[in-house]
mmCIF file with all atom_site columns, all heavy atoms in Angstrom:
data_model
loop_
_atom_site.group_PDB
_atom_site.id
_atom_site.type_symbol
_atom_site.label_atom_id
_atom_site.label_alt_id
_atom_site.label_comp_id
_atom_site.label_asym_id
_atom_site.label_entity_id
_atom_site.label_seq_id
_atom_site.pdbx_PDB_ins_code
_atom_site.Cartn_x
_atom_site.Cartn_y
_atom_site.Cartn_z
_atom_site.occupancy
_atom_site.B_iso_or_equiv
_atom_site.pdbx_formal_charge
_atom_site.auth_seq_id
_atom_site.auth_comp_id
_atom_site.auth_asym_id
_atom_site.auth_atom_id
_atom_site.pdbx_PDB_model_num
ATOM 1   N N   . PRO A 1 1  ? -52.651 -27.818 -0.614  1.00 91.00 ? 1  PRO A N   1
ATOM 2   C CA  . PRO A 1 1  ? -51.980 -26.827 0.223   1.00 91.00 ? 1  PRO A CA  1
ATOM 3   C C   . PRO A 1 1  ? -52.638 -26.643 1.585   1.00 91.00 ? 1  PRO A C   1
ATOM 4   O O   . PRO A 1 1  ? -51.971 -26.275 2.524   1.00 91.00 ? 1  PRO A O   1
ATOM 5   C CB  . PRO A 1 1  ? -51.995 -25.547 -0.623  1.00 91.00 ? 1  PRO A CB  1
ATOM 6   C CG  . PRO A 1 1  ? -53.066 -25.743 -1.629  1.00 91.00 ? 1  PRO A CG  1
ATOM 7   C CD  . PRO A 1 1  ? -53.163 -27.216 -1.864  1.00 91.00 ? 1  PRO A CD  1
ATOM 8   N N   . ASP A 1 2  ? -53.935 -26.856 1.659   1.00 93.00 ? 2  ASP A N   1
ATOM 9   C CA  . ASP A 1 2  ? -54.608 -26.703 2.953   1.00 93.00 ? 2  ASP A CA  1
ATOM 10  C C   . ASP A 1 2  ? -54.298 -27.871 3.902   1.00 93.00 ? 2  ASP A C   1
ATOM 11  O O   . ASP A 1 2  ? -54.289 -27.705 5.111   1.00 93.00 ? 2  ASP A O   1
ATOM 12  C CB  . ASP A 1 2  ? -56.122 -26.615 2.799   1.00 93.00 ? 2  ASP A CB  1
ATOM 13  C CG  . ASP A 1 2  ? -56.532 -25.343 2.064   1.00 93.00 ? 2  ASP A CG  1
ATOM 14  O OD1 . ASP A 1 2  ? -55.806 -24.352 2.190   1.00 93.00 ? 2  ASP A OD1 1
ATOM 15  O OD2 . ASP A 1 2  ? -57.585 -25.329 1.418   1.00 93.00 ? 2  ASP A OD2 1
ATOM 16  N N   . ALA A 1 3  ? -54.037 -29.050 3.358   1.00 91.00 ? 3  ALA A N   1
ATOM 17  C CA  . ALA A 1 3  ? -53.736 -30.235 4.154   1.00 91.00 ? 3  ALA A CA  1
ATOM 18  C C   . ALA A 1 3  ? -52.234 -30.331 4.502   1.00 91.00 ? 3  ALA A C   1
ATOM 19  O O   . ALA A 1 3  ? -51.892 -30.834 5.521   1.00 91.00 ? 3  ALA A O   1
ATOM 20  C CB  . ALA A 1 3  ? -54.197 -31.490 3.439   1.00 91.00 ? 3  ALA A CB  1
ATOM 21  N N   . VAL A 1 4  ? -51.387 -29.871 3.586   1.00 88.00 ? 4  VAL A N   1
ATOM 22  C CA  . VAL A 1 4  ? -49.928 -29.958 3.796   1.00 88.00 ? 4  VAL A CA  1
ATOM 23  C C   . VAL A 1 4  ? -49.346 -28.533 3.640   1.00 88.00 ? 4  VAL A C   1
ATOM 24  O O   . VAL A 1 4  ? -48.959 -28.152 2.537   1.00 88.00 ? 4  VAL A O   1
ATOM 25  C CB  . VAL A 1 4  ? -49.294 -30.921 2.768   1.00 88.00 ? 4  VAL A CB  1
ATOM 26  C CG1 . VAL A 1 4  ? -47.834 -31.108 3.054   1.00 88.00 ? 4  VAL A CG1 1
ATOM 27  C CG2 . VAL A 1 4  ? -50.016 -32.253 2.732   1.00 88.00 ? 4  VAL A CG2 1
ATOM 28  N N   . PRO A 1 5  ? -49.336 -27.754 4.706   1.00 87.00 ? 5  PRO A N   1
ATOM 29  C CA  . PRO A 1 5  ? -48.882 -26.382 4.580   1.00 87.00 ? 5  PRO A CA  1
ATOM 30  C C   . PRO A 1 5  ? -47.374 -26.188 4.394   1.00 87.00 ? 5  PRO A C   1
ATOM 31  O O   . PRO A 1 5  ? -46.911 -25.170 3.968   1.00 87.00 ? 5  PRO A O   1
ATOM 32  C CB  . PRO A 1 5  ? -49.354 -25.722 5.880   1.00 87.00 ? 5  PRO A CB  1
ATOM 33  C CG  . PRO A 1 5  ? -49.404 -26.845 6.844   1.00 87.00 ? 5  PRO A CG  1
ATOM 34  C CD  . PRO A 1 5  ? -49.752 -28.065 6.036   1.00 87.00 ? 5  PRO A CD  1
ATOM 35  N N   . ALA A 1 6  ? -46.573 -27.208 4.758   1.00 86.00 ? 6  ALA A N   1
ATOM 36  C CA  . ALA A 1 6  ? -45.108 -27.082 4.681   1.00 86.00 ? 6  ALA A CA  1
ATOM 37  C C   . ALA A 1 6  ? -44.470 -28.443 4.476   1.00 86.00 ? 6  ALA A C   1
ATOM 38  O O   . ALA A 1 6  ? -45.016 -29.477 4.871   1.00 86.00 ? 6  ALA A O   1
ATOM 39  C CB  . ALA A 1 6  ? -44.583 -26.418 5.896   1.00 86.00 ? 6  ALA A CB  1
ATOM 40  N N   . VAL A 1 7  ? -43.281 -28.432 3.892   1.00 85.00 ? 7  VAL A N   1
ATOM 41  C CA  . VAL A 1 7  ? -42.485 -29.634 3.729   1.00 85.00 ? 7  VAL A CA  1
ATOM 42  C C   . VAL A 1 7  ? -41.126 -29.385 4.375   1.00 85.00 ? 7  VAL A C   1
ATOM 43  O O   . VAL A 1 7  ? -40.517 -28.341 4.084   1.00 85.00 ? 7  VAL A O   1
ATOM 44  C CB  . VAL A 1 7  ? -42.302 -30.024 2.191   1.00 85.00 ? 7  VAL A CB  1
ATOM 45  C CG1 . VAL A 1 7  ? -41.389 -31.207 2.034   1.00 85.00 ? 7  VAL A CG1 1
ATOM 46  C CG2 . VAL A 1 7  ? -43.658 -30.286 1.573   1.00 85.00 ? 7  VAL A CG2 1
ATOM 47  N N   . GLU A 1 8  ? -40.689 -30.281 5.208   1.00 82.00 ? 8  GLU A N   1
ATOM 48  C CA  . GLU A 1 8  ? -39.411 -30.106 5.911   1.00 82.00 ? 8  GLU A CA  1
ATOM 49  C C   . GLU A 1 8  ? -38.236 -30.279 4.969   1.00 82.00 ? 8  GLU A C   1
ATOM 50  O O   . GLU A 1 8  ? -38.190 -31.221 4.156   1.00 82.00 ? 8  GLU A O   1
ATOM 51  C CB  . GLU A 1 8  ? -39.335 -31.098 7.067   1.00 82.00 ? 8  GLU A CB  1
ATOM 52  C CG  . GLU A 1 8  ? -38.116 -30.910 7.911   1.00 82.00 ? 8  GLU A CG  1
ATOM 53  C CD  . GLU A 1 8  ? -38.146 -31.819 9.137   1.00 82.00 ? 8  GLU A CD  1
ATOM 54  O OE1 . GLU A 1 8  ? -39.210 -31.951 9.767   1.00 82.00 ? 8  GLU A OE1 1
ATOM 55  O OE2 . GLU A 1 8  ? -37.106 -32.424 9.415   1.00 82.00 ? 8  GLU A OE2 1
ATOM 56  N N   . TYR A 1 9  ? -37.277 -29.397 5.062   1.00 75.00 ? 9  TYR A N   1
ATOM 57  C CA  . TYR A 1 9  ? -36.051 -29.449 4.242   1.00 75.00 ? 9  TYR A CA  1
ATOM 58  C C   . TYR A 1 9  ? -34.892 -29.438 5.267   1.00 75.00 ? 9  TYR A C   1
ATOM 59  O O   . TYR A 1 9  ? -34.613 -28.392 5.855   1.00 75.00 ? 9  TYR A O   1
ATOM 60  C CB  . TYR A 1 9  ? -35.985 -28.274 3.325   1.00 75.00 ? 9  TYR A CB  1
ATOM 61  C CG  . TYR A 1 9  ? -34.780 -28.254 2.413   1.00 75.00 ? 9  TYR A CG  1
ATOM 62  C CD1 . TYR A 1 9  ? -34.861 -28.769 1.113   1.00 75.00 ? 9  TYR A CD1 1
ATOM 63  C CD2 . TYR A 1 9  ? -33.553 -27.729 2.816   1.00 75.00 ? 9  TYR A CD2 1
ATOM 64  C CE1 . TYR A 1 9  ? -33.796 -28.749 0.270   1.00 75.00 ? 9  TYR A CE1 1
ATOM 65  C CE2 . TYR A 1 9  ? -32.467 -27.713 1.962   1.00 75.00 ? 9  TYR A CE2 1
ATOM 66  C CZ  . TYR A 1 9  ? -32.611 -28.212 0.704   1.00 75.00 ? 9  TYR A CZ  1
ATOM 67  O OH  . TYR A 1 9  ? -31.511 -28.205 -0.137  1.00 75.00 ? 9  TYR A OH  1
ATOM 68  N N   . ARG A 1 10 ? -34.252 -30.564 5.496   1.00 75.00 ? 10 ARG A N   1
ATOM 69  C CA  . ARG A 1 10 ? -33.208 -30.628 6.469   1.00 75.00 ? 10 ARG A CA  1
ATOM 70  C C   . ARG A 1 10 ? -31.884 -30.297 5.795   1.00 75.00 ? 10 ARG A C   1
ATOM 71  O O   . ARG A 1 10 ? -31.405 -30.994 4.931   1.00 75.00 ? 10 ARG A O   1
ATOM 72  C CB  . ARG A 1 10 ? -33.134 -32.036 7.056   1.00 75.00 ? 10 ARG A CB  1
ATOM 73  C CG  . ARG A 1 10 ? -34.375 -32.525 7.797   1.00 75.00 ? 10 ARG A CG  1
ATOM 74  C CD  . ARG A 1 10 ? -34.574 -31.773 9.078   1.00 75.00 ? 10 ARG A CD  1
ATOM 75  N NE  . ARG A 1 10 ? -33.497 -31.912 10.007  1.00 75.00 ? 10 ARG A NE  1
ATOM 76  C CZ  . ARG A 1 10 ? -33.493 -32.622 11.107  1.00 75.00 ? 10 ARG A CZ  1
ATOM 77  N NH1 . ARG A 1 10 ? -34.551 -33.323 11.414  1.00 75.00 ? 10 ARG A NH1 1
ATOM 78  N NH2 . ARG A 1 10 ? -32.443 -32.652 11.897  1.00 75.00 ? 10 ARG A NH2 1
ATOM 79  N N   . LEU A 1 11 ? -31.288 -29.196 6.209   1.00 67.00 ? 11 LEU A N   1
ATOM 80  C CA  . LEU A 1 11 ? -30.064 -28.712 5.577   1.00 67.00 ? 11 LEU A CA  1
ATOM 81  C C   . LEU A 1 11 ? -28.918 -29.712 5.677   1.00 67.00 ? 11 LEU A C   1
ATOM 82  O O   . LEU A 1 11 ? -28.101 -29.788 4.780   1.00 67.00 ? 11 LEU A O   1
ATOM 83  C CB  . LEU A 1 11 ? -29.632 -27.375 6.157   1.00 67.00 ? 11 LEU A CB  1
ATOM 84  C CG  . LEU A 1 11 ? -30.543 -26.211 5.830   1.00 67.00 ? 11 LEU A CG  1
ATOM 85  C CD1 . LEU A 1 11 ? -30.065 -24.964 6.603   1.00 67.00 ? 11 LEU A CD1 1
ATOM 86  C CD2 . LEU A 1 11 ? -30.549 -25.926 4.362   1.00 67.00 ? 11 LEU A CD2 1
ATOM 87  N N   . GLN A 1 12 ? -28.866 -30.517 6.726   1.00 70.00 ? 12 GLN A N   1
ATOM 88  C CA  . GLN A 1 12 ? -27.743 -31.457 6.860   1.00 70.00 ? 12 GLN A CA  1
ATOM 89  C C   . GLN A 1 12 ? -27.981 -32.735 6.024   1.00 70.00 ? 12 GLN A C   1
ATOM 90  O O   . GLN A 1 12 ? -27.039 -33.423 5.745   1.00 70.00 ? 12 GLN A O   1
ATOM 91  C CB  . GLN A 1 12 ? -27.468 -31.779 8.307   1.00 70.00 ? 12 GLN A CB  1
ATOM 92  C CG  . GLN A 1 12 ? -28.532 -32.617 9.003   1.00 70.00 ? 12 GLN A CG  1
ATOM 93  C CD  . GLN A 1 12 ? -29.519 -31.760 9.773   1.00 70.00 ? 12 GLN A CD  1
ATOM 94  O OE1 . GLN A 1 12 ? -29.872 -30.683 9.360   1.00 70.00 ? 12 GLN A OE1 1
ATOM 95  N NE2 . GLN A 1 12 ? -29.983 -32.288 10.878  1.00 70.00 ? 12 GLN A NE2 1
ATOM 96  N N   . TRP A 1 13 ? -29.216 -33.031 5.632   1.00 71.00 ? 13 TRP A N   1
ATOM 97  C CA  . TRP A 1 13 ? -29.504 -34.269 4.890   1.00 71.00 ? 13 TRP A CA  1
ATOM 98  C C   . TRP A 1 13 ? -29.743 -34.021 3.409   1.00 71.00 ? 13 TRP A C   1
ATOM 99  O O   . TRP A 1 13 ? -29.323 -34.794 2.550   1.00 71.00 ? 13 TRP A O   1
ATOM 100 C CB  . TRP A 1 13 ? -30.706 -34.975 5.458   1.00 71.00 ? 13 TRP A CB  1
ATOM 101 C CG  . TRP A 1 13 ? -30.564 -35.476 6.812   1.00 71.00 ? 13 TRP A CG  1
ATOM 102 C CD1 . TRP A 1 13 ? -29.385 -35.686 7.542   1.00 71.00 ? 13 TRP A CD1 1
ATOM 103 C CD2 . TRP A 1 13 ? -31.588 -35.785 7.715   1.00 71.00 ? 13 TRP A CD2 1
ATOM 104 N NE1 . TRP A 1 13 ? -29.668 -36.136 8.792   1.00 71.00 ? 13 TRP A NE1 1
ATOM 105 C CE2 . TRP A 1 13 ? -31.012 -36.211 8.941   1.00 71.00 ? 13 TRP A CE2 1
ATOM 106 C CE3 . TRP A 1 13 ? -33.001 -35.797 7.625   1.00 71.00 ? 13 TRP A CE3 1
ATOM 107 C CZ2 . TRP A 1 13 ? -31.756 -36.621 10.042  1.00 71.00 ? 13 TRP A CZ2 1
ATOM 108 C CZ3 . TRP A 1 13 ? -33.724 -36.226 8.692   1.00 71.00 ? 13 TRP A CZ3 1
ATOM 109 C CH2 . TRP A 1 13 ? -33.111 -36.614 9.909   1.00 71.00 ? 13 TRP A CH2 1
ATOM 110 N N   . GLU A 1 14 ? -30.465 -32.987 3.091   1.00 74.00 ? 14 GLU A N   1
ATOM 111 C CA  . GLU A 1 14 ? -30.988 -32.842 1.736   1.00 74.00 ? 14 GLU A CA  1
ATOM 112 C C   . GLU A 1 14 ? -29.907 -32.689 0.670   1.00 74.00 ? 14 GLU A C   1
ATOM 113 O O   . GLU A 1 14 ? -30.034 -33.230 -0.423  1.00 74.00 ? 14 GLU A O   1
ATOM 114 C CB  . GLU A 1 14 ? -32.025 -31.711 1.642   1.00 74.00 ? 14 GLU A CB  1
ATOM 115 C CG  . GLU A 1 14 ? -32.894 -31.810 0.466   1.00 74.00 ? 14 GLU A CG  1
ATOM 116 C CD  . GLU A 1 14 ? -33.627 -33.104 0.325   1.00 74.00 ? 14 GLU A CD  1
ATOM 117 O OE1 . GLU A 1 14 ? -34.158 -33.649 1.308   1.00 74.00 ? 14 GLU A OE1 1
ATOM 118 O OE2 . GLU A 1 14 ? -33.713 -33.636 -0.811  1.00 74.00 ? 14 GLU A OE2 1
ATOM 119 N N   . PRO A 1 15 ? -28.824 -31.936 0.908   1.00 71.00 ? 15 PRO A N   1
ATOM 120 C CA  . PRO A 1 15 ? -27.805 -31.850 -0.142  1.00 71.00 ? 15 PRO A CA  1
ATOM 121 C C   . PRO A 1 15 ? -27.269 -33.208 -0.578  1.00 71.00 ? 15 PRO A C   1
ATOM 122 O O   . PRO A 1 15 ? -27.023 -33.446 -1.760  1.00 71.00 ? 15 PRO A O   1
ATOM 123 C CB  . PRO A 1 15 ? -26.716 -30.971 0.476   1.00 71.00 ? 15 PRO A CB  1
ATOM 124 C CG  . PRO A 1 15 ? -27.467 -30.105 1.440   1.00 71.00 ? 15 PRO A CG  1
ATOM 125 C CD  . PRO A 1 15 ? -28.543 -31.047 2.002   1.00 71.00 ? 15 PRO A CD  1
ATOM 126 N N   . GLY A 1 16 ? -27.124 -34.146 0.345   1.00 74.00 ? 16 GLY A N   1
ATOM 127 C CA  . GLY A 1 16 ? -26.687 -35.502 -0.008  1.00 74.00 ? 16 GLY A CA  1
ATOM 128 C C   . GLY A 1 16 ? -27.721 -36.254 -0.832  1.00 74.00 ? 16 GLY A C   1
ATOM 129 O O   . GLY A 1 16 ? -27.380 -36.936 -1.792  1.00 74.00 ? 16 GLY A O   1
ATOM 130 N N   . ARG A 1 17 ? -28.988 -36.063 -0.494  1.00 76.00 ? 17 ARG A N   1
ATOM 131 C CA  . ARG A 1 17 ? -30.036 -36.716 -1.253  1.00 76.00 ? 17 ARG A CA  1
ATOM 132 C C   . ARG A 1 17 ? -30.142 -36.122 -2.649  1.00 76.00 ? 17 ARG A C   1
ATOM 133 O O   . ARG A 1 17 ? -30.479 -36.835 -3.616  1.00 76.00 ? 17 ARG A O   1
ATOM 134 C CB  . ARG A 1 17 ? -31.405 -36.514 -0.556  1.00 76.00 ? 17 ARG A CB  1
ATOM 135 C CG  . ARG A 1 17 ? -31.487 -37.304 0.722   1.00 76.00 ? 17 ARG A CG  1
ATOM 136 C CD  . ARG A 1 17 ? -32.805 -37.018 1.396   1.00 76.00 ? 17 ARG A CD  1
ATOM 137 N NE  . ARG A 1 17 ? -32.855 -37.653 2.681   1.00 76.00 ? 17 ARG A NE  1
ATOM 138 C CZ  . ARG A 1 17 ? -33.784 -37.439 3.563   1.00 76.00 ? 17 ARG A CZ  1
ATOM 139 N NH1 . ARG A 1 17 ? -34.757 -36.584 3.305   1.00 76.00 ? 17 ARG A NH1 1
ATOM 140 N NH2 . ARG A 1 17 ? -33.782 -38.058 4.733   1.00 76.00 ? 17 ARG A NH2 1
ATOM 141 N N   . GLN A 1 18 ? -29.902 -34.826 -2.777  1.00 75.00 ? 18 GLN A N   1
ATOM 142 C CA  . GLN A 1 18 ? -30.016 -34.168 -4.087  1.00 75.00 ? 18 GLN A CA  1
ATOM 143 C C   . GLN A 1 18 ? -28.994 -34.708 -5.080  1.00 75.00 ? 18 GLN A C   1
ATOM 144 O O   . GLN A 1 18 ? -29.198 -34.634 -6.268  1.00 75.00 ? 18 GLN A O   1
ATOM 145 C CB  . GLN A 1 18 ? -29.847 -32.663 -3.917  1.00 75.00 ? 18 GLN A CB  1
ATOM 146 C CG  . GLN A 1 18 ? -30.995 -31.988 -3.195  1.00 75.00 ? 18 GLN A CG  1
ATOM 147 C CD  . GLN A 1 18 ? -32.280 -31.985 -4.042  1.00 75.00 ? 18 GLN A CD  1
ATOM 148 O OE1 . GLN A 1 18 ? -32.248 -31.808 -5.227  1.00 75.00 ? 18 GLN A OE1 1
ATOM 149 N NE2 . GLN A 1 18 ? -33.385 -32.214 -3.335  1.00 75.00 ? 18 GLN A NE2 1
ATOM 150 N N   . ARG A 1 19 ? -27.893 -35.250 -4.600  1.00 77.00 ? 19 ARG A N   1
ATOM 151 C CA  . ARG A 1 19 ? -26.877 -35.814 -5.501  1.00 77.00 ? 19 ARG A CA  1
ATOM 152 C C   . ARG A 1 19 ? -27.378 -37.033 -6.200  1.00 77.00 ? 19 ARG A C   1
ATOM 153 O O   . ARG A 1 19 ? -26.752 -37.520 -7.141  1.00 77.00 ? 19 ARG A O   1
ATOM 154 C CB  . ARG A 1 19 ? -25.596 -36.135 -4.733  1.00 77.00 ? 19 ARG A CB  1
ATOM 155 C CG  . ARG A 1 19 ? -24.817 -34.906 -4.381  1.00 77.00 ? 19 ARG A CG  1
ATOM 156 C CD  . ARG A 1 19 ? -23.417 -35.262 -3.924  1.00 77.00 ? 19 ARG A CD  1
ATOM 157 N NE  . ARG A 1 19 ? -23.421 -35.965 -2.634  1.00 77.00 ? 19 ARG A NE  1
ATOM 158 C CZ  . ARG A 1 19 ? -23.371 -35.337 -1.467  1.00 77.00 ? 19 ARG A CZ  1
ATOM 159 N NH1 . ARG A 1 19 ? -23.326 -34.043 -1.398  1.00 77.00 ? 19 ARG A NH1 1
ATOM 160 N NH2 . ARG A 1 19 ? -23.350 -36.057 -0.352  1.00 77.00 ? 19 ARG A NH2 1
ATOM 161 N N   . LEU A 1 20 ? -28.520 -37.613 -5.790  1.00 78.00 ? 20 LEU A N   1
ATOM 162 C CA  . LEU A 1 20 ? -29.074 -38.780 -6.455  1.00 78.00 ? 20 LEU A CA  1
ATOM 163 C C   . LEU A 1 20 ? -29.754 -38.443 -7.770  1.00 78.00 ? 20 LEU A C   1
ATOM 164 O O   . LEU A 1 20 ? -30.067 -39.301 -8.562  1.00 78.00 ? 20 LEU A O   1
ATOM 165 C CB  . LEU A 1 20 ? -30.078 -39.461 -5.527  1.00 78.00 ? 20 LEU A CB  1
ATOM 166 C CG  . LEU A 1 20 ? -29.523 -39.987 -4.207  1.00 78.00 ? 20 LEU A CG  1
ATOM 167 C CD1 . LEU A 1 20 ? -30.645 -40.514 -3.334  1.00 78.00 ? 20 LEU A CD1 1
ATOM 168 C CD2 . LEU A 1 20 ? -28.488 -41.060 -4.436  1.00 78.00 ? 20 LEU A CD2 1
ATOM 169 N N   . TYR A 1 21 ? -30.004 -37.164 -8.009  1.00 80.00 ? 21 TYR A N   1
ATOM 170 C CA  . TYR A 1 21 ? -30.732 -36.703 -9.218  1.00 80.00 ? 21 TYR A CA  1
ATOM 171 C C   . TYR A 1 21 ? -29.853 -35.866 -10.103 1.00 80.00 ? 21 TYR A C   1
ATOM 172 O O   . TYR A 1 21 ? -28.887 -35.250 -9.656  1.00 80.00 ? 21 TYR A O   1
ATOM 173 C CB  . TYR A 1 21 ? -31.955 -35.883 -8.811  1.00 80.00 ? 21 TYR A CB  1
ATOM 174 C CG  . TYR A 1 21 ? -32.874 -36.679 -7.906  1.00 80.00 ? 21 TYR A CG  1
ATOM 175 C CD1 . TYR A 1 21 ? -32.901 -36.466 -6.535  1.00 80.00 ? 21 TYR A CD1 1
ATOM 176 C CD2 . TYR A 1 21 ? -33.735 -37.624 -8.446  1.00 80.00 ? 21 TYR A CD2 1
ATOM 177 C CE1 . TYR A 1 21 ? -33.758 -37.215 -5.721  1.00 80.00 ? 21 TYR A CE1 1
ATOM 178 C CE2 . TYR A 1 21 ? -34.576 -38.384 -7.658  1.00 80.00 ? 21 TYR A CE2 1
ATOM 179 C CZ  . TYR A 1 21 ? -34.571 -38.159 -6.283  1.00 80.00 ? 21 TYR A CZ  1
ATOM 180 O OH  . TYR A 1 21 ? -35.416 -38.891 -5.485  1.00 80.00 ? 21 TYR A OH  1
ATOM 181 N N   . ASP A 1 22 ? -30.187 -35.836 -11.391 1.00 78.00 ? 22 ASP A N   1
ATOM 182 C CA  . ASP A 1 22 ? -29.457 -35.020 -12.372 1.00 78.00 ? 22 ASP A CA  1
ATOM 183 C C   . ASP A 1 22 ? -29.591 -33.535 -12.067 1.00 78.00 ? 22 ASP A C   1
ATOM 184 O O   . ASP A 1 22 ? -28.681 -32.762 -12.243 1.00 78.00 ? 22 ASP A O   1
ATOM 185 C CB  . ASP A 1 22 ? -29.918 -35.312 -13.770 1.00 78.00 ? 22 ASP A CB  1
ATOM 186 C CG  . ASP A 1 22 ? -29.392 -36.616 -14.320 1.00 78.00 ? 22 ASP A CG  1
ATOM 187 O OD1 . ASP A 1 22 ? -28.349 -37.110 -13.819 1.00 78.00 ? 22 ASP A OD1 1
ATOM 188 O OD2 . ASP A 1 22 ? -29.977 -37.159 -15.266 1.00 78.00 ? 22 ASP A OD2 1
ATOM 189 N N   . GLU A 1 23 ? -30.777 -33.112 -11.674 1.00 80.00 ? 23 GLU A N   1
ATOM 190 C CA  . GLU A 1 23 ? -31.063 -31.715 -11.390 1.00 80.00 ? 23 GLU A CA  1
ATOM 191 C C   . GLU A 1 23 ? -31.369 -31.608 -9.886  1.00 80.00 ? 23 GLU A C   1
ATOM 192 O O   . GLU A 1 23 ? -32.143 -32.333 -9.359  1.00 80.00 ? 23 GLU A O   1
ATOM 193 C CB  . GLU A 1 23 ? -32.272 -31.166 -12.127 1.00 80.00 ? 23 GLU A CB  1
ATOM 194 C CG  . GLU A 1 23 ? -32.233 -31.446 -13.626 1.00 80.00 ? 23 GLU A CG  1
ATOM 195 C CD  . GLU A 1 23 ? -32.816 -32.831 -13.989 1.00 80.00 ? 23 GLU A CD  1
ATOM 196 O OE1 . GLU A 1 23 ? -33.604 -33.368 -13.213 1.00 80.00 ? 23 GLU A OE1 1
ATOM 197 O OE2 . GLU A 1 23 ? -32.465 -33.328 -15.044 1.00 80.00 ? 23 GLU A OE2 1
ATOM 198 N N   . SER A 1 24 ? -30.779 -30.641 -9.218  1.00 79.00 ? 24 SER A N   1
ATOM 199 C CA  . SER A 1 24 ? -31.057 -30.468 -7.800  1.00 79.00 ? 24 SER A CA  1
ATOM 200 C C   . SER A 1 24 ? -32.100 -29.386 -7.585  1.00 79.00 ? 24 SER A C   1
ATOM 201 O O   . SER A 1 24 ? -32.267 -28.490 -8.405  1.00 79.00 ? 24 SER A O   1
ATOM 202 C CB  . SER A 1 24 ? -29.784 -30.144 -7.016  1.00 79.00 ? 24 SER A CB  1
ATOM 203 O OG  . SER A 1 24 ? -29.321 -28.869 -7.401  1.00 79.00 ? 24 SER A OG  1
ATOM 204 N N   . LEU A 1 25 ? -32.823 -29.498 -6.483  1.00 80.00 ? 25 LEU A N   1
ATOM 205 C CA  . LEU A 1 25 ? -33.813 -28.468 -6.122  1.00 80.00 ? 25 LEU A CA  1
ATOM 206 C C   . LEU A 1 25 ? -33.244 -27.722 -4.912  1.00 80.00 ? 25 LEU A C   1
ATOM 207 O O   . LEU A 1 25 ? -32.917 -28.297 -3.909  1.00 80.00 ? 25 LEU A O   1
ATOM 208 C CB  . LEU A 1 25 ? -35.144 -29.154 -5.713  1.00 80.00 ? 25 LEU A CB  1
ATOM 209 C CG  . LEU A 1 25 ? -35.759 -30.074 -6.755  1.00 80.00 ? 25 LEU A CG  1
ATOM 210 C CD1 . LEU A 1 25 ? -36.974 -30.768 -6.168  1.00 80.00 ? 25 LEU A CD1 1
ATOM 211 C CD2 . LEU A 1 25 ? -36.192 -29.252 -7.962  1.00 80.00 ? 25 LEU A CD2 1
ATOM 212 N N   . GLN A 1 26 ? -33.190 -26.407 -5.052  1.00 80.00 ? 26 GLN A N   1
ATOM 213 C CA  . GLN A 1 26 ? -32.632 -25.572 -3.995  1.00 80.00 ? 26 GLN A CA  1
ATOM 214 C C   . GLN A 1 26 ? -33.683 -24.588 -3.538  1.00 80.00 ? 26 GLN A C   1
ATOM 215 O O   . GLN A 1 26 ? -34.356 -23.972 -4.386  1.00 80.00 ? 26 GLN A O   1
ATOM 216 C CB  . GLN A 1 26 ? -31.394 -24.868 -4.475  1.00 80.00 ? 26 GLN A CB  1
ATOM 217 C CG  . GLN A 1 26 ? -30.289 -25.761 -4.941  1.00 80.00 ? 26 GLN A CG  1
ATOM 218 C CD  . GLN A 1 26 ? -29.770 -26.642 -3.846  1.00 80.00 ? 26 GLN A CD  1
ATOM 219 O OE1 . GLN A 1 26 ? -29.685 -26.223 -2.679  1.00 80.00 ? 26 GLN A OE1 1
ATOM 220 N NE2 . GLN A 1 26 ? -29.463 -27.906 -4.178  1.00 80.00 ? 26 GLN A NE2 1
ATOM 221 N N   . PRO A 1 27 ? -33.845 -24.405 -2.233  1.00 82.00 ? 27 PRO A N   1
ATOM 222 C CA  . PRO A 1 27 ? -34.816 -23.416 -1.759  1.00 82.00 ? 27 PRO A CA  1
ATOM 223 C C   . PRO A 1 27 ? -34.342 -22.001 -2.068  1.00 82.00 ? 27 PRO A C   1
ATOM 224 O O   . PRO A 1 27 ? -33.151 -21.708 -1.999  1.00 82.00 ? 27 PRO A O   1
ATOM 225 C CB  . PRO A 1 27 ? -34.887 -23.661 -0.251  1.00 82.00 ? 27 PRO A CB  1
ATOM 226 C CG  . PRO A 1 27 ? -33.632 -24.394 0.076   1.00 82.00 ? 27 PRO A CG  1
ATOM 227 C CD  . PRO A 1 27 ? -33.195 -25.111 -1.137  1.00 82.00 ? 27 PRO A CD  1
ATOM 228 N N   . GLU A 1 28 ? -35.266 -21.157 -2.414  1.00 87.00 ? 28 GLU A N   1
ATOM 229 C CA  . GLU A 1 28 ? -34.990 -19.746 -2.656  1.00 87.00 ? 28 GLU A CA  1
ATOM 230 C C   . GLU A 1 28 ? -36.045 -18.955 -1.866  1.00 87.00 ? 28 GLU A C   1
ATOM 231 O O   . GLU A 1 28 ? -37.236 -19.086 -2.103  1.00 87.00 ? 28 GLU A O   1
ATOM 232 C CB  . GLU A 1 28 ? -35.104 -19.387 -4.132  1.00 87.00 ? 28 GLU A CB  1
ATOM 233 C CG  . GLU A 1 28 ? -34.053 -20.076 -4.974  1.00 87.00 ? 28 GLU A CG  1
ATOM 234 C CD  . GLU A 1 28 ? -34.213 -19.761 -6.470  1.00 87.00 ? 28 GLU A CD  1
ATOM 235 O OE1 . GLU A 1 28 ? -34.911 -18.776 -6.804  1.00 87.00 ? 28 GLU A OE1 1
ATOM 236 O OE2 . GLU A 1 28 ? -33.659 -20.530 -7.278  1.00 87.00 ? 28 GLU A OE2 1
ATOM 237 N N   . ASP A 1 29 ? -35.564 -18.161 -0.935  1.00 89.00 ? 29 ASP A N   1
ATOM 238 C CA  . ASP A 1 29 ? -36.432 -17.366 -0.068  1.00 89.00 ? 29 ASP A CA  1
ATOM 239 C C   . ASP A 1 29 ? -37.474 -18.250 0.641   1.00 89.00 ? 29 ASP A C   1
ATOM 240 O O   . ASP A 1 29 ? -38.652 -17.879 0.775   1.00 89.00 ? 29 ASP A O   1
ATOM 241 C CB  . ASP A 1 29 ? -37.166 -16.269 -0.847  1.00 89.00 ? 29 ASP A CB  1
ATOM 242 C CG  . ASP A 1 29 ? -36.187 -15.272 -1.459  1.00 89.00 ? 29 ASP A CG  1
ATOM 243 O OD1 . ASP A 1 29 ? -35.168 -14.942 -0.765  1.00 89.00 ? 29 ASP A OD1 1
ATOM 244 O OD2 . ASP A 1 29 ? -36.408 -14.816 -2.604  1.00 89.00 ? 29 ASP A OD2 1
#
């Protein structure tokens, strides 16, 4: 966590990528 404080989540790209998996990961707060 000290080396990687954040991971980018692109709203226009990630929903399409999530369809590649059985379970999707959605940001909450």
Side-chain angles (χ1 to χ4, degrees):
D2 293 332
V4 185
V7 175
E8 185 174 316
Y9 182 95
R10 300 290 303 253
L11 290 175
Q12 69 265 34
W13 295 341
E14 200 55 42
R17 291 179 185 168
Q18 291 291 321
R19 285 194 292 272
L20 299 174
Y21 301 101
D22 284 339
E23 310 87 22
S24 66
L25 303 174
Q26 300 299 322
E28 295 178 18
D29 298 324

